Amino acid sequence: MSSDTENAFDAAVPLSQRAMMGARGAPRYLDDLNPAQREAVEALDGPVLMLAGAGTGKTKALTTRIAHLLNTGRARPNEILAVTFTNKAAREMKERVGRHLGEAVEGMPWMGTFHSISVKLLRRHAELVDLKSNFTILDTDDQIRLMKQLIVASNIDEKRWPARMLAGIIDGWKNRALTPDKIPVADANAFDRRGAELYAQYQTRLRELNAVDFGDLLLHVVTIFQAHADILKRYQEWFRYILVDEYQDTNVAQYLWLRLLAGGHKNICCVGDDDQSIYGWRGAEVGNILKFEKDFPGAKIIRLEQNYRSTPHILGAAGGVIAANKGRLGKELWTEAEDGEKVRLIGHWDGEEEARWIGEEIEAMQRGTRGMAPASLNAMAILVRASHQMRAFEDRFLTIGLPYKVIGGPRFYERMEIRDAMAYFRLAVSQDDDLAFERIVNTPKRGLGDKAVQTIQRAARTNGVSLVEGARLAAQGELIKGKGGAALGQLVADLDRWHGQLRAEADTHVELAEMILDESGYTTMWQNDKTPEAPGRLENLKELVKALENFDNLQGFLEHVALIMDNESDDADEKVSIMTLHAAKGLEFPIVFLPGWEDGLFPSQRSMDESGLKGLEEERRLAYVGITRAEELCTISFAANRRVYGQWQSQLPSRFIDELPEAHVDVLTPPGLYGGGYGAAGMSAAASPAAEYGRSTLQDRVGRADVYNSPGWRRLQDRSQQRPMRQPTEQRGMTIDLEAVSAFSEGDRVFHQKFGYGDVMGIEGDKLAISFDKAGEKNVVARFVVPAAEADDVPF
Ligand code: ATP
Ligand code: MG
């Protein structure tokens, strides 16, 4: 460029933009990019696919591209369509664009999620699908109620064919962009062969109500675009540039939506990572990203390989795990970052101990120990596979006063099923709790609708008594007729019985809680529920019962929860983040904890049962997403035991642990555990799942879960907990104290973690008959017992 033209260029560029220019005249934001990213940002016209691994700067390139489009005047803010996965991601994207440009970005109405953008489009053209522009968006409850009415009207047994099942099927069809007239023959058997017909009725009913459900938002827009070429053309021209983040997780409807909109100029830029496709269970099609080139011939495919997020050890560990998946494109990632710490792997006795250990680690890191600078709580995240895992952490953090926040969902005790269950417990404690009564009077459904509740309220008011008493009067006086009246009588009798049992202390509070959930029909309600959320809710209920075991009585537990709900750390500036792996997509944290790596929990048994190898591979991608969220330090942990409904259950370490390359992992479990190999632990190598797969592995090294079920291991664990973590020289050479496994004899003074101190009266197999000082005589499993002299070592 001659100096003349350079001057001419300068004159043409407004001052505000020139201030953003780097030395060579290019905007400064381009200087922050590597050549491949820069290519993706500067190739403004035509289709571009950025297909690259985690942390390679895809989202960064995407936001820079938006900044560049604006800065070069290619498009005005409202002519850019930018789709992200969550509203949170959309907000962050807007902020990032602003940062690149050095000023806040105003007027980007078309930056958002598929759903939020679709609502806007649909309001403008609602009449084309027989809706008015002020249509309502139904929530799941309304949706289910509507379907139930249709099922009943069609003389189908709603008990066998529940509305929630139909909702799942219809949602699946909508994800695949199938309107009722397009249901494939293969799906003809759905819902007792009545699926398609009910779907059609449901859509008709929605139209009559001027309503849509979530799936409709996209489907209607696609339908409009397909039927009205003129309208589609207008938008194709209006949205001069289209950008999509997390493209690997689009479903068929979203894919069609995009393909239609980009069909004119084809200025579409998608970024994604096939290894991070984690929404298959919701209809996402990873195939969409793999056929991009076919859909958009001549597309520029850009691969990024430099990772800017994580240390080589973290990348190495993640790469080792994902390599076990078949049918992936395969990518190499490298980083200039220093090696840093290896991924840490540690086994714990049980889930509570895992939570306790992580809490201590977090506090230590906050103070800055082990030569590390103090870390902010905001830099730390705990990523779990299943949301019920959060409970142990929330309880623990409340106890030690560690501020935390749950991202992407309610906190454990705020979940619907937990609140319902707690309302029952509250009523067992106090029948004056009107709020609790209102919450559960018709949950599960007892035929006690609004009118019945008003009758009860009137009875209570007139007589100046609680709602439970009002209900008693209403039932006795037969103020409510029919089925509802009988059910109310039953409910009052149940409440009385539970209250009586609580006062008589006939059962432990844990047993009583289980009884209440069963006898009230609440557990059954969720067992009969066929929605995708139901199994998770049942798991949460089990977790709730488990939490009760840490308290002496229901009252104490209820107080504890009241405290959690009123967590004073709510206004703390710094908080540890807790979220599911799914919610962590696209995010990054310097310090990441990945607890619960146990087969069945992670990989999730359900997902393997339902989808076999495909499910397992999706779980493995989740593991990859999890590890790659970490920038500096990643800690994977598992527990040897988990309590489920008061029963101890041995857990096997996750098979993904076997897949972690040893070179990138530091095993924190005391070496005595595996030093002697299986022989020392009294197990044959053939019994090892690792050996079954023909691998000699980390899992071998941290030992099989059964090994942990010995008091000897327990003591070892306790001892190692007393000294600061990671002192390998000191730990080396410790051997497992096998003698201790059968160390008890009659008359021994012992300590049990739940029942306290006692004397051994007899021994049978692995059971000990113990006379406890406080809890009386009980038979307990020996592995939960330690000699009394060592009880002080037990950190609970
Ligand atoms: P994911 O697959 O997890 O969504 P991603 O590919 O979208 O990851 P980004 O979140 O865009 O990755 O970037 C990861 C981190 O690397 C961010 O902190 C980002 O600021 C940084 N980064 C990206 N590109 C560069 C670069 N060229 N130079 C320096 N840092 C970069
Ligand atoms: Mg990203």
Side-chain angles (χ1 to χ4, degrees), residues 446-459:
R446 299 187 170 90
L448 296 164
D450 290 348
K451 235 178 95 201
V453 173
Q454 281 160 16
T455 308
I456 296 169
Q457 281 165 337
R458 225 176 3 254

Side-chain angles (χ1 to χ4, degrees), residues 252-277:
V252 174
Q254 293 164 337
Y255 166 79
L256 284 176
W257 188 102
L258 283 171
R259 221 179 55 179
L260 286 162
L261 278 172
H265 51 57
K266 302 196 173 59
N267 292 330
I268 180 167
C269 171
C270 294
V271 316
D273 177 3
D274 57 314
D275 287 336
Q276 294 187 66
S277 165

Side-chain angles (χ1 to χ4, degrees), residues 511-662:
E511 286 162 345
L512 179 63
E514 283 176 12
M515 205 185 299
I516 293 175
L517 294 179
D518 286 345
E519 292 177 357
S520 60
Y522 192 69
T523 309
T524 316
M525 176 181 112
W526 289 116
Q527 279 163 348
N528 291 339
D529 190 309
K530 297 289 179 265
T531 50
E533 297 85 39
R537 296 195 196 278
L538 283 166
E539 280 167 3
N540 285 339
L541 290 173
K542 285 185 191 168
E543 188 63 36
L544 177 69
V545 173
K546 194 153 103 188
L548 278 169
E549 296 180 8
N550 299 327
F551 296 83
D552 291 336
N553 50 44
L554 264 187
Q555 181 88 49
F557 176 67
L558 293 175
E559 276 165 18
H560 165 80
V561 176
L563 275 175
I564 288 206
M565 304 304 264
D566 186 25
N567 191 347
E568 58 196 40
S569 73
D570 263 0
D571 44 3
D573 292 340
E574 287 190 8
K575 289 177 193 168
V576 179
S577 300
I578 308 178
M579 71 196 87
T580 60
L581 289 162
H582 281 101
K585 195 165 75 151
L587 306 182
E588 58 191 15
F589 300 89
I591 298 168
V592 168
F593 290 92
L594 301 170
W597 279 43
E598 296 137 38
D599 252 26
L601 184 55
F602 189 42
S604 139
Q605 193 61 46
R606 199 179 339 134
S607 133
M608 291 188 292
D609 289 348
E610 280 168 16
S611 317
L613 185 62
K614 237 174 111 191
L616 176 64
E617 296 214 334
E618 182 149 315
E619 295 287 306
R620 194 175 279 117
R621 290 193 291 270
L622 261 181
Y624 176 79
V625 168
I627 300 172
T628 54
R629 297 310 95 198
E631 296 171 17
E632 287 159 29
L633 186 62
C634 176
T635 308
I636 295 173
S637 57
F638 59 92
N641 299 283
R642 296 229 175 235
R643 265 179 298 176
V644 180
Y645 264 135
Q647 302 281 323
W648 286 94
Q649 201 170 295
S650 286
Q651 300 284 98
L652 287 177
S654 168
R655 64 192 73 189
F656 299 151
I657 286 179
D658 276 350
E659 295 164 1
L660 295 164
E662 293 207 32

Side-chain angles (χ1 to χ4, degrees), residues 652 658 678 685-696 700 704:
L652 287 177
D658 276 350
Y678 287 108
S688 153
E692 250 168 65
Y693 294 113
R695 291 168 280 164
S696 157
D700 293 356
R704 273 197 76 195

Side-chain angles (χ1 to χ4, degrees), residues 221-428:
V221 170
V222 168
T223 307
I224 291 169
F225 286 163
Q226 283 172 334
H228 302 273
D230 52 327
I231 292 180
L232 174 61
K233 187 150 184 293
R234 257 168 41 210
Y235 285 104
Q236 285 176 336
E237 283 165 9
W238 181 260
F239 296 133
R240 300 165 76 104
Y241 293 90
I242 299 176
L243 303 97
V244 189
D245 201 358
E246 308 277 5
Y247 188 60
Q248 77 278 359
D249 278 322
T250 47
N251 63 32
V252 174
Q254 293 164 337
Y255 166 79
L256 284 176
W257 188 102
L258 283 171
R259 221 179 55 179
L260 286 162
L261 278 172
H265 51 57
K266 302 196 173 59
N267 292 330
I268 180 167
C269 171
C270 294
V271 316
D273 177 3
D274 57 314
D275 287 336
Q276 294 187 66
S277 165
I278 54 176
Y279 279 95
W281 55 286
R282 269 208 212 148
E285 295 271 346
V286 65
N288 292 344
I289 198 165
L290 304 178
K291 62 178 190 212
F292 188 86
E293 252 178 306
K294 221 172 102 217
D295 290 331
F296 296 100
K300 193 184 271 284
I301 310 287
I302 295 174
R303 294 182 194 274
L304 309 174
E305 290 184 338
Q306 180 171 7
N307 173 295
Y308 292 92
R309 178 180 295 149
S310 315
T311 63
H313 281 314
I314 291 170
L315 286 185
V321 171
I322 197 67
N325 267 6
K326 308 240 167 4
R328 52 190 287 268
L329 295 174
K331 299 178 241 36
E332 282 303 318
L333 294 183
W334 60 277
T335 170
E336 285 175 351
E338 310 239 318
D339 263 1
E341 291 212 45
K342 291 186 177 180
V343 169
R344 306 183 312 161
L345 175 64
I346 183 165
H348 296 284
W349 168 253
D350 64 11
E352 307 293 322
E353 187 170 289
E354 181 179 53
R356 186 168 45 237
W357 185 82
I358 290 179
E360 281 164 14
E361 278 288 290
I362 289 174
E363 286 185 323
M365 289 173 183
Q366 202 185 7
R367 285 195 303 271
T369 52
R370 294 190 282 120
M372 279 169 58
S376 158
L377 294 182
N378 293 337
M380 308 182 205
I382 300 173
L383 313 181
V384 296
R385 172 63 185 91
S387 65
H388 68 84
Q389 287 174 267
M390 292 178 189
R391 200 276 311 161
F393 295 101
E394 293 190 48
D395 273 354
R396 184 66 196 156
F397 294 173
L398 177 87
T399 309
I400 59 175
L402 189 70
Y404 71 88
K405 58 183 168 197
V406 173
I407 311 260
R411 296 189 293 177
F412 183 82
Y413 291 107
E414 284 165 1
R415 294 176 192 159
M416 179 195 7
E417 63 281 11
I418 299 303
R419 283 176 180 265
D420 288 345
M422 299 282 294
Y424 276 105
F425 300 164
R426 279 158 54 188
L427 282 168

